[in-house]
Amino acid sequence: MMDLILNDANKQKVLTDSSVPISPYNLFDGTSDFSGTSWTNLDQYTNDKLVSPFGNQSRQRKGAWWGLSQLKDLKVGQIYTISASIFVDTNSSSDEFIGVYGEDSKGNIISSNTKPLLYLKNAPVGWITIKHTFTVPKNSTYKVRFESSSDQVNIHLADLMLNKGAVALDWNYSLNDLRSRLGG
């Protein structure tokens, strides 16, 4: 077994073989254009004209909560990382933020990130990547998503990625998306 050291904001973390991504493929389907019917809360977002850093379509929402996600079967003890490209139109004057939330229908919580990933009053102008790594407590079907606490700020979301391991990967297609693009 090989251990790697990850330096993250002056904190060292030992990465084991299980932390390193197993494959480069996205576990979410249809993230290049939010296609398909498996998206939760897609009706809460509008299609916008922004193009993401990876050339994908983004979706916009002005309103709190209702994060975009898909139901995914996740395995107990497995480490996953969710990431996305975010563009904030205007800054907030309060302590509104973007965080990560995830649970299954039985109330098992995999991530209730009360520590904000991005305060909207400090958001830079332009696309940024946000990410969060978590470990699954029980085998179940979970909905993991980024959510904004603001009703006042336009948030553009693109390049949504869920991968196995503790390292956020660059956006990529899912295996289902690649099969579809290749005709089967």
Side-chain angles (χ1 to χ4, degrees):
M1 182 164 124
M2 180 174 86
D3 288 344
L4 301 171
I5 303 293
L6 173 67
N7 242 337
D8 187 15
N10 298 325
K11 297 179 202 168
Q12 287 193 349
K13 178 180 177 182
V14 176
L15 298 180
T16 63
D17 287 343
S18 65
S19 303
V20 178
I22 295 170
S23 81
Y25 301 109
N26 200 338
L27 296 176
F28 288 137
D29 296 325
T31 56
S32 66
D33 58 2
F34 296 100
S35 60
T37 58
S38 62
W39 290 101
T40 60
N41 305 324
L42 188 59
D43 60 337
Q44 299 292 317
Y45 289 75
T46 57
N47 195 355
D48 60 24
K49 304 294 183 207
L50 291 181
V51 176
S52 78
F54 290 95
N56 294 321
Q57 183 181 79
S58 71
R59 292 289 174 133
Q60 180 269 326
R61 185 168 196 294
K62 183 176 186 177
W65 317 119
W66 297 96
L68 273 175
S69 187
Q70 294 177 356
L71 293 172
K72 289 294 168 186
D73 292 329
L74 304 180
K75 306 298 178 203
V76 66
Q78 179 67 53
I79 298 169
Y80 294 88
T81 299
I82 184 171
S83 59
S85 297
I86 301 287
F87 188 98
V88 179
D89 279 3
T90 57
N91 290 353
S92 170
S93 59
S94 68
D95 285 336
E96 296 165 325
F97 63 91
I98 295 175
V100 174
Y101 300 86
E103 73 280 330
D104 69 0
S105 62
K106 297 173 187 156
N108 295 311
I109 296 175
I110 57 174
S111 191
S112 178
N113 190 10
T114 56
K115 199 188 236 184
L117 296 174
L118 173 67
Y119 282 103
L120 297 175
K121 66 182 176 183
N122 300 328
V125 175
W127 287 102
I128 62 166
T129 299
I130 59 174
K131 59 190 173 198
H132 179 71
T133 298
F134 59 92
T135 303
V136 177
K138 289 187 168 188
N139 288 334
S140 193
T141 302
Y142 291 91
K143 181 173 66 170
V144 184
R145 65 221 179 263
F146 292 108
E147 292 193 348
S148 167
S149 68
S150 174
D151 281 325
Q152 305 303 314
V153 178
N154 284 317
I155 308 290
H156 302 267
L157 175 74
D159 306 329
L160 196 56
M161 177 91 173
L162 179 66
N163 63 271
K164 289 182 183 180
V167 177
L169 299 175
D170 285 345
W171 176 85
N172 199 349
Y173 290 102
S174 72
L175 282 175
N176 291 334
D177 290 340
L178 287 174
R179 285 183 192 112
S180 174
R181 289 179 153 269
L182 297 173

